[in-house]
Amino acid sequence: MMKNVEHIGIAVADLAVAESVYSALLNVQPYKREAVESEQVTTSFFKVNQTKIELLEATGPDSAISRFIEKKGEGIHHIAFEVEDILVEMERLRNEGFTLLNEVPKRGADNKLVCFVHPKSANGVLIELCQEIR
């Protein structure tokens, strides 16, 4: 079961510049910067009340974020939903006919297990499922 929107992911070309923009916009500083080598990205997280924003900068030309920016430019990349049990939710979505981009959850940023739902299955929106690693 999906509990809430966990964060909104935004693809950026220059993380330092984007951090300045979002620090001014949100009037807070990022609380965490983290490299996710398996995805070839560096992330930066902001939190305002219960809302989290994840900025994503590619660290290599083969990164999904590099390809996204080349194709669409900077902007919203994905919406992430927190789930109680990612394996159960993945099975439920498969049974509902959604196409998952991961066969098994993988380690993501901010101490999460993650799985992505293909945008073609969700009206053009990349959906991320997140479960806190316990």
Side-chain angles (χ1 to χ4, degrees):
M1 178 171 154
M2 296 201 192
K3 294 166 60 172
N4 60 288
V5 173
E6 209 287 329
H7 66 269
I8 298 169
I10 301 172
V12 301
D14 185 318
L15 194 57
V17 170
E19 283 176 327
S20 293
V21 169
Y22 279 85
S23 290
L25 178 70
L26 302 172
N27 199 29
V28 297
Q29 295 299 310
Y31 71 85
K32 178 185 230 178
R33 198 185 246 214
E34 181 179 352
V36 182
E37 292 178 21
S38 65
E39 299 300 311
Q40 297 182 39
V41 297
T42 300
T43 65
S44 181
F45 283 91
F46 290 81
K47 187 170 185 178
V48 177
N49 296 317
Q50 297 305 309
T51 303
K52 289 184 357 186
I53 302 292
E54 176 189 33
L55 304 178
L56 301 116
E57 176 189 58
T59 58
D62 296 330
S63 164
I65 296 301
S66 286
R67 292 190 304 274
F68 179 89
I69 290 174
E70 285 175 19
K71 190 184 224 182
K72 298 183 179 186
E74 294 180 291
I76 294 177
H77 179 258
H78 66 271
I79 298 175
F81 291 93
E82 180 181 14
V83 298
E84 187 66 35
D85 185 324
I86 197 166
L87 294 173
V88 169
E89 194 62 19
M90 288 172 70
E91 184 63 23
R92 183 187 77 78
L93 292 174
R94 274 191 205 98
N95 290 338
E96 291 286 343
F98 289 90
T99 302
L100 304 182
L101 295 177
N102 312 97
E103 289 299 314
V104 296
K106 58 185 174 178
R107 186 177 192 94
D110 207 25
N111 197 42
K112 303 283 190 278
L113 289 175
V114 301
C115 172
F116 289 90
V117 177
H118 198 289
K120 290 180 181 176
S121 295
N123 298 98
V125 178
L126 180 64
I127 302 294
E128 179 182 10
L129 307 177
C130 299
Q131 177 189 311
E132 189 80 23
I133 296 174
R134 309 187 236 301

